Amino acid sequence: MPLNAIARRFPIQPLTPSEASLPASVAAALPPDGVIVFACEDAHSDTAAFSERYGFGLDDCANTLIVKYPQNGEDRFAALVSLGSRRLDLNGAVRLTLGTRKVSMARREVATELTGMAFGGITAFGLPASLRILVDAAVMAREFVVMGAGVRETKLLLAPAVLQRLPGVEVAELTLPVSDAG
């Protein structure tokens, strides 16, 4: 189903990237087609509240989280994209994919400084080239996903294949279904 037809099923207000006041890095990284930018109330920006307010399932929401891990004696960072309905397997799949012995969530201040984006709105688009971007395979199985847009008041609607066009994106099994999370 075309993205515009999907968008019409939900109460969203499409915006141009300039109307959305996106961070410059995000606006520059968005492809000219295949992404719908839309407004979102800040009070409903977090995944569960967004899902309830706008009628998207947690399976439709792709969150981008920043993690820290040691490599060659230095702290490194990576962006992980996973569905709101799944739990990252940090100590298993993520650790193995990154090739490290330890992975932890980056502190809020570090994530916002590193990305130049608002916490709760971080997206895979416009990230620094130094960050690895890992996308969970479950994201790629979806017809469409909603992601942050760098600010809390804006979201992106896209087919997951658009993520694979980003430089250096790696797709791997990174999560567990919530029922298996435990």
Side-chain angles (χ1 to χ4, degrees):
M1 180 179 300
L3 209 51
N4 287 330
I6 292 168
R8 285 192 292 272
R9 295 183 354 213
F10 301 98
I12 63 173
Q13 174 188 4
L15 302 169
T16 65
S18 61
E19 289 173 327
S21 299
L22 301 177
S25 63
V26 174
L30 289 177
D33 62 345
V35 177
I36 294 175
V37 180
F38 66 96
C40 169
E41 299 169 21
D42 182 35
H44 298 105
S45 185
D46 292 332
T47 306
F50 171 84
S51 182
E52 184 176 326
R53 166 66 178 90
Y54 294 97
F56 288 86
L58 293 177
D59 275 347
D60 300 323
C61 300
N63 299 316
T64 304
L65 304 167
I66 306 299
V67 296
K68 178 175 91 167
Y69 63 99
Q71 188 174 60
N72 299 326
E74 295 182 26
D75 284 340
R76 305 275 182 181
F77 296 90
L80 309 179
V81 180
S82 65
L83 298 175
S85 61
R86 298 180 69 90
R87 187 182 78 128
L88 283 166
D89 183 11
L90 284 179
N91 293 316
V94 173
R95 184 180 58 77
L96 292 172
T97 301
L98 290 171
T100 188
R101 57 180 167 73
K102 183 180 178 185
V103 177
S104 59
M105 300 303 295
R107 288 190 350 259
R108 178 185 196 134
E109 310 79 48
V110 172
T112 57
E113 182 178 329
L114 187 64
T115 64
M117 300 178 202
F119 194 80
I122 295 173
T123 185
F125 295 93
L127 291 171
S130 62
L131 289 182
R132 286 178 70 181
I133 303 172
L134 306 179
V135 178
D136 183 48
V139 171
M140 301 310 296
R142 303 295 301 164
E143 179 181 10
F144 66 89
V145 293
V146 174
M147 306 183 72
V151 293
R152 290 181 55 83
E153 301 81 11
T154 308
K155 297 285 185 187
L156 307 173
L157 175 68
L158 57 127
V162 174
L163 291 170
Q164 286 189 294
R165 293 188 227 155
L166 291 171
V169 163
E170 303 169 52
V171 176
E173 299 279 343
L174 304 173
T175 62
L176 303 167
V178 171
S179 61
D180 293 349

